[in-house]
Amino acid sequence: MRVVKWLCCSTALLAYCCTQASAADGPPVYSVPAPDVTACSYLTSDGCETCTSEPSCDTCSSCCTCGPCISLFPCCDHGDPWTLQGHLTGDCCGSSSITYGGWLSVGAYGNAHGAASNGPISFRNVGDGFTVNQLWGYVEKGVDTGGCGFDWGFRADYVFGVDGPDTQAFGSSDPQAWDNGWDSSDEYGSALPQLYAQLGINDLTVTMGHFYTIIGYEVVQAPDNFFTSYAYTMYYAEPFTHTGVLAEYALGDDITVWGGWVQSWDTAFDNPNGGNNFLGGISVPLLESLSLTYAVVTGTESATATDTYMHSIVADATLTEKLEYVLQSDYGASTGGTVGQWYGVNNYLFYTINDCWKLGTRIEWFHDDDGIRGPAQGDMWGATWGVNWQPTANLKIRPELRYDWYDGPGALPFDNGNASDQFSGGFDLIVTF
């Protein structure tokens, strides 16, 4: 007996139709469907459905149905992103070892209280209007020895927007040091958060200058985060930048070790109080689908002359092909000068639908014993739900909803000191170039 039926096979980027001819005496044979075939079947994630008409297969869809194809999460092939460098230099110079580019992040974020400020929600504290978050440009030459030989590199970054003042070298006791005086209004400012040189010898890379920290999971750069808002631990518990010398060594393909000297937290090339810190860490695979990163900074902070210890632990687990879980834990303590400790735990769960759509949630808790780092003394809690939609290679849209609440003896942190909790939400649009 010979059975002929339609098969619609779909992936995130391509859906196609064919017929499967099977016989008792041989394997299935795939061919162009005969015109007189009226029955059809199509494959879905949970089974195979049989229809009585020709299926509709949209090549930019993740669905394949017997009727008109209506996909909740359509996705087309992104292709290569447009770049400023490629536009200005053309194909003849596209392979230059010096690269440059950037991105623009714009959006809006508000709260249910209707307050002009979103309170302690870091980087997204403006609650009453549209903002330019990051207008970012960079130029760099990466180090690539291939594990053997010598290479050199450098990088410089500039950012303007409401995120500019938050990534300046504010850890200095001098308010005019480096980029601290680059604010253009109460909300907007500029920063030069990275300016460094690199040397690479075999598997060792040494970074010298002003650079972003290796502490934590979230970063300042908008395209590298899932959410448009930031976790309490990232903003209040961790440094953003350092200035000094940091060595990175690759122990095989999977293990990375860092170690070096930096002045302090969030300082540039001035060090008036003699900040002196060790910055280091290690990243190792524990299982095939689980990695662990530990990073630490400890020493005397330049601005306060306070002895401080702080570490972060990040566990990243691939649960399934589409599901990812990240656990981050921070701990910090000041043992000289202002004495206190702070710590927190963040949970992230991401589900990748296809190359264009991704869902995520973040559940966080941050505790500050004495209110020396956080927005208030006591416990800050937050739950955030978001979607990432990337319709093209150069465009990403990140809407999110967030609920925060506070438990502690300090002043209420929301609605200008009148509320202990807050619903908020917003979006940003990121265009890379």
Side-chain angles (χ1 to χ4, degrees):
M1 177 178 179
R2 188 173 179 84
V3 178
V4 179
K5 63 180 181 179
W6 286 86
L7 278 181
C8 289
C9 311
S10 64
T11 67
L13 297 179
L14 178 65
Y16 58 94
C17 300
C18 58
T19 59
Q20 176 184 357
S22 61
D25 57 348
V29 177
Y30 296 91
S31 63
V32 177
D36 58 346
V37 175
T38 57
C40 96
S41 297
Y42 68 94
L43 298 179
T44 64
S45 60
D46 55 356
C48 184
E49 182 175 332
T50 301
C51 308
T52 58
S53 61
E54 180 177 335
S56 171
C57 295
D58 185 352
T59 57
C60 290
S61 173
S62 58
C63 77
C64 186
T65 68
C66 292
C69 187
I70 302 175
S71 175
L72 295 177
F73 304 100
C75 188
C76 293
D77 188 353
H78 286 155
D80 296 327
W82 182 94
T83 63
L84 178 65
Q85 182 171 11
H87 180 73
L88 294 180
T89 62
D91 294 337
C92 67
C93 304
S95 60
S96 172
S97 59
I98 297 178
T99 60
Y100 52 87
W103 59 85
L104 172 66
S105 167
V106 296
Y109 213 92
N111 59 84
H113 301 298
S117 171
N118 293 317
I121 297 180
S122 57
F123 287 93
R124 298 294 161 262
N125 58 302
V126 178
D128 61 350
F130 185 84
T131 57
V132 177
N133 302 325
Q134 298 179 3
L135 175 57
W136 199 294
Y138 70 87
V139 57
E140 72 170 339
K141 178 187 181 298
V143 170
D144 184 10
T145 66
C148 181
F150 171 83
D151 197 10
W152 63 275
F154 66 88
R155 179 163 176 136
D157 291 71
Y158 167 82
V159 57
F160 168 81
V162 294
D163 293 356
D166 286 323
T167 191
Q168 293 172 349
F170 53 80
S172 172
S173 58
D174 181 0
Q176 298 301 317
W178 193 238
D179 50 12
N180 285 357
W182 291 7
D183 292 348
S184 53
S185 69
D186 292 338
E187 297 175 352
Y188 286 86
S190 299
L192 197 64
Q194 295 199 115
L195 182 63
Y196 61 78
Q198 288 184 310
L199 295 177
I201 303 175
N202 298 336
D203 292 319
L204 175 68
T205 302
V206 179
T207 302
M208 300 164 287
H210 186 50
F211 46 84
Y212 274 117
T213 189
I214 60 173
I215 299 282
Y217 176 68
E218 296 184 12
V219 296
V220 174
Q221 299 93 318
D224 296 331
N225 294 323
F226 179 87
F227 296 102
T228 182
S229 68
Y230 293 73
Y232 289 115
T233 54
M234 185 270 181
Y235 189 78
Y236 295 104
E238 305 167 2
F240 292 168
T241 63
H242 306 282
T243 301
V245 180
L246 181 66
E248 176 181 334
Y249 189 77
L251 291 172
D253 296 331
D254 300 321
I255 301 177
T256 302
V257 179
W258 297 273
W261 171 87
V262 294
Q263 292 177 170
S264 185
W265 294 29
D266 305 308
T267 61
F269 295 97
D270 62 325
N271 193 15
N273 291 323
N276 187 28
N277 284 248
F278 169 78
L279 175 67
I282 184 172
S283 179
V284 296
L286 299 183
L287 299 170
E288 184 177 353
S289 58
L290 175 64
S291 64
L292 184 71
T293 302
Y294 167 84
V296 60
V297 58
T298 182
T300 303
E301 290 192 60
S302 179
T304 61
T306 298
D307 293 334
T308 301
Y309 170 89
M310 189 270 153
H311 77 242
S312 70
I313 300 173
V314 179
D316 193 331
T318 302
L319 303 180
T320 69
E321 182 180 350
K322 293 180 176 292
L323 197 61
E324 177 189 11
Y325 172 70
V326 178
L327 173 66
Q328 178 194 347
S329 173
D330 281 4
Y331 174 80
S334 296
T335 58
T338 303
V339 178
Q341 61 180 344
W342 58 95
Y343 40 87
V345 176
N346 300 339
N347 298 271
Y348 304 83
L349 188 64
F350 304 113
Y351 182 78
T352 301
I353 298 175
N354 52 41
D355 286 356
C356 302
W357 295 89
K358 188 175 182 179
L359 309 178
T361 185
R362 175 182 62 203
I363 308 297
E364 56 179 307
W365 163 66
F366 177 65
H367 176 84
D368 190 339
D369 281 350
D370 303 296
I372 62 173
R373 289 282 177 178
Q377 179 183 359
D379 297 292
M380 298 293 302
W381 299 82
T384 309
W385 303 269
V387 178
N388 279 194
W389 176 38
Q390 188 167 359
T392 72
N394 287 93
L395 175 63
K396 181 185 292 185
I397 302 173
R398 304 186 299 174
E400 72 174 40
L401 293 175
R402 177 169 177 154
Y403 177 64
D404 297 85
W405 66 101
Y406 165 69
D407 182 17
L412 301 181
F414 302 107
D415 192 21
N416 299 314
N418 296 311
S420 61
D421 66 341
Q422 176 175 275
F423 280 100
S424 61
F427 75 96
D428 76 339
L429 182 152
I430 302 173
V431 179
T432 60
F433 52 84

